[in-house]
Amino acid sequence: MAAGCGKCGPGYPSPLEAMKGPREEIIYLPCIYRNTDIEAPDYLATVDVDPKSPQYCQVVEPKDIHAKCVLAYLHTSHCLPSGEVMISTLGDPEGNSKGGFVLLDGETWEVKGTWERPGGAAPLGYDFWYQPRHNVMISTEWAAPNVFRDGFNLADVEAGRYGSHLNVWDWQRHEIVETLPLQDGLLPLEIRFLHDPAAAQGFVGCALSSTIQRFFKNKGGTWSVEKVIQVPPKKVKGWMLPEMPGLITDILLSLDDRFLYFSNWLHGDLRQYDISDPQKPRLTGQLFLGGSIVKGGPVQVLEDKELTAQPEPLVVKGKRVVGGPQMIQLSLDGKRLYVTTSLYSTWDKQFYPELIREGSVMLQVDVNTVNGGLKLNPNFLVDFGKEPLGPALAHEARYPGGDCSSDIWP
């Protein structure tokens, strides 16, 4: 929004001005087919989310986006003030770990090289966010693609193959200046600075430890991190382990920096926290949207520090939702959350095999932006199990003109 790639997008001067922008009418979602009987390329789905449209809640324009380059294991993309596009990497084409960054021309999409200095990639990679006014970028860590691409294996955790640090980069020199170990911070995935371009703090969601960590700049210019939210595990029977983590897989902040949202893909709940005091987030909304602990399923909860009963299965427009809340996207005005249910196809197959057979869905949640609170819209369901070539898995949602999880104001 602030400096669009190739000078596209509305170009809002500030996050608060962006909140006044028009309501979203379409959403883009990358999708894949993973049914073994289907040979089809990945594609980009355009979904109509305009309630006044006759095609509301429908996929209106799928486009083939089958990869045509040799770059491998890319993840997060952000536009830079220069007009270039920067994309984080998780590994090299052979699946070895490499936490680097690829630069693309914002007009031609040609590869220009790497952002980091030669030989200066982080040991592991995943997400990143930069804050030019503080000359900083911070990146997160998942694991080498050879570790996670075939599914989750507890032995990899025990062997220390999953990330547990934040990497702090000098924005101008393109090099790591600090590595921050995370206490109770195993598998830091999505990271968000506050949207205020002058802010020197933000949050990161740590999946396996199910914590939210706040990172911040010290008076001396160094950076620190502290745990501010802990989702307790649930003691269970009928699952792969005796304790089930929430597995925080996505987080985002409202453009006014008032609310933090995150998803617990395994427990099945979406949460909203008031972060008016970033050091003491306050739970203001919680909504269960499927998950692994619903009543009538194979998992029995033996001990739960938060709930008195297992949640009911979710049925929307006659369809029982399988999987749990995963990727989330917030409307510019902060009043609507869009939620998809697929994480990564091999992990989907391992934890929610029904997703491979039935496809994922996209749901919409209404947000109370005054007092806090979340409420499911019972009239909204995009069923990717009904795609022309069979069930598909939809991932992250994006708006044409920018959104809460991709736009940075310099």
Side-chain angles (χ1 to χ4, degrees):
M1 291 180 200
C5 302
K7 299 181 180 178
C8 62
Y12 298 110
S14 71
L16 295 181
E17 285 299 313
M19 294 188 74
K20 303 174 185 177
R23 177 176 174 140
E24 66 283 356
E25 295 183 349
I26 60 172
I27 289 179
Y28 299 133
L29 300 100
C31 301
I32 61 173
Y33 291 108
R34 280 299 179 265
N35 188 313
T36 55
D37 297 328
I38 299 172
E39 292 187 8
D42 301 347
Y43 67 99
L44 185 70
T46 302
V47 176
D48 190 324
V49 294
D50 180 3
K52 302 185 295 297
S53 170
Q55 295 177 306
Y56 182 56
C57 293
Q58 296 181 32
V59 177
V60 294
E61 188 181 0
K63 290 185 177 180
D64 180 351
I65 56 170
H66 190 59
K68 297 180 180 179
C69 62
V70 297
L71 298 175
Y73 302 106
L74 306 180
H75 189 261
T76 299
S77 63
H78 283 300
C79 292
L80 304 186
S82 63
E84 297 168 307
V85 180
M86 183 162 146
I87 308 177
S88 60
T89 68
L90 286 79
D92 63 21
E94 288 72 43
N96 303 305
S97 63
K98 184 179 181 181
F101 305 89
V102 176
L103 286 177
L104 305 180
D105 186 287
E107 294 284 352
T108 66
W109 297 99
E110 294 180 357
V111 177
K112 299 182 66 175
T114 60
W115 177 85
E116 74 277 7
R117 292 185 174 187
L124 299 171
Y126 189 71
D127 194 20
F128 73 100
W129 199 281
Y130 64 90
Q131 204 77 320
R133 296 190 191 184
H134 293 279
N135 189 35
V136 68
M137 181 179 79
I138 302 180
S139 63
T140 63
E141 304 178 333
W142 187 357
N146 287 334
V147 170
F148 65 74
R149 66 183 175 188
D150 293 327
F152 175 76
N153 188 332
L154 184 61
D156 291 323
V157 179
E158 297 169 344
R161 298 190 180 105
Y162 280 95
S164 59
H165 298 81
L166 297 182
N167 296 297
V168 182
W169 301 73
D170 185 294
W171 180 243
Q172 295 180 348
R173 301 204 312 265
H174 300 194
E175 62 184 14
I176 295 175
V177 292
E178 285 187 83
T179 299
L180 305 179
L182 295 163
Q183 182 180 2
D184 298 327
L186 189 57
L187 190 45
L189 292 182
E190 306 292 339
I191 187 168
R192 307 285 183 262
F193 265 94
L194 297 186
H195 291 288
D196 178 354
Q201 62 179 320
F203 300 90
V204 60
C206 300
L208 286 179
S209 54
S210 300
T211 62
I212 298 292
Q213 310 264 349
R214 170 183 168 262
F215 58 88
F216 55 95
K217 188 177 182 179
N218 300 305
K219 290 183 179 180
T222 59
W223 292 79
S224 296
V225 63
E226 63 178 357
K227 182 174 69 173
V228 291
I229 299 172
Q230 173 75 65
V231 176
K234 302 180 189 298
K235 292 186 178 180
V236 296
K237 184 172 72 171
W239 197 62
M240 63 183 298
L241 298 172
E243 287 193 342
M244 180 189 292
L247 204 72
I248 298 174
T249 52
D250 198 13
I251 73 169
L252 59 77
L253 307 179
S254 59
L255 286 173
D256 58 3
D257 292 331
R258 184 183 171 193
F259 291 112
L260 163 72
Y261 300 88
F262 67 80
S263 53
N264 285 309
W265 190 59
L266 290 178
H267 287 179
D269 58 315
L270 178 69
R271 299 194 183 199
Q272 176 198 50
Y273 284 79
D274 187 316
I275 54 169
S276 300
D277 181 351
Q279 293 180 269
K280 297 180 180 179
R282 180 172 59 88
L283 181 64
T284 50
Q286 185 178 23
L287 184 64
F288 278 85
L289 302 172
S292 296
I293 61 167
V294 294
K295 288 182 180 178
V299 177
Q300 178 185 356
V301 177
L302 304 177
E303 183 179 323
D304 194 325
K305 296 180 180 179
E306 296 184 316
L307 304 178
T308 57
Q310 292 180 231
E312 297 288 340
L314 178 64
V315 178
V316 182
K317 299 180 74 171
K319 178 179 175 62
R320 176 167 173 164
V321 173
V322 298
Q326 208 284 94
M327 299 307 294
I328 54 179
Q329 188 56 265
L330 187 66
S331 60
L332 298 184
D333 62 8
K335 296 181 179 180
R336 290 167 301 283
L337 268 170
Y338 295 92
V339 185
T340 57
T341 53
S342 167
L343 173 59
Y344 186 75
S345 60
T346 53
W347 290 43
D348 292 348
K349 184 177 181 179
Q350 183 176 7
F351 293 102
Y352 296 111
E354 306 97 326
L355 278 173
I356 305 299
R357 297 192 299 267
E358 299 182 26
S360 64
V361 301
M362 182 166 70
L363 307 169
Q364 189 245 302
V365 174
D366 293 322
V367 179
N368 185 328
T369 58
V370 178
N371 300 315
L374 304 171
K375 183 180 179 181
L376 180 69
N377 180 349
N379 299 313
F380 187 101
L381 175 75
V382 182
D383 185 356
F384 290 94
K386 297 181 179 180
E387 288 295 86
L389 297 180
L393 302 173
H395 198 60
E396 187 169 13
R398 297 290 199 189
Y399 304 139
D403 48 60
C404 295
S405 56
S406 62
D407 282 49
I408 297 172
W409 278 262

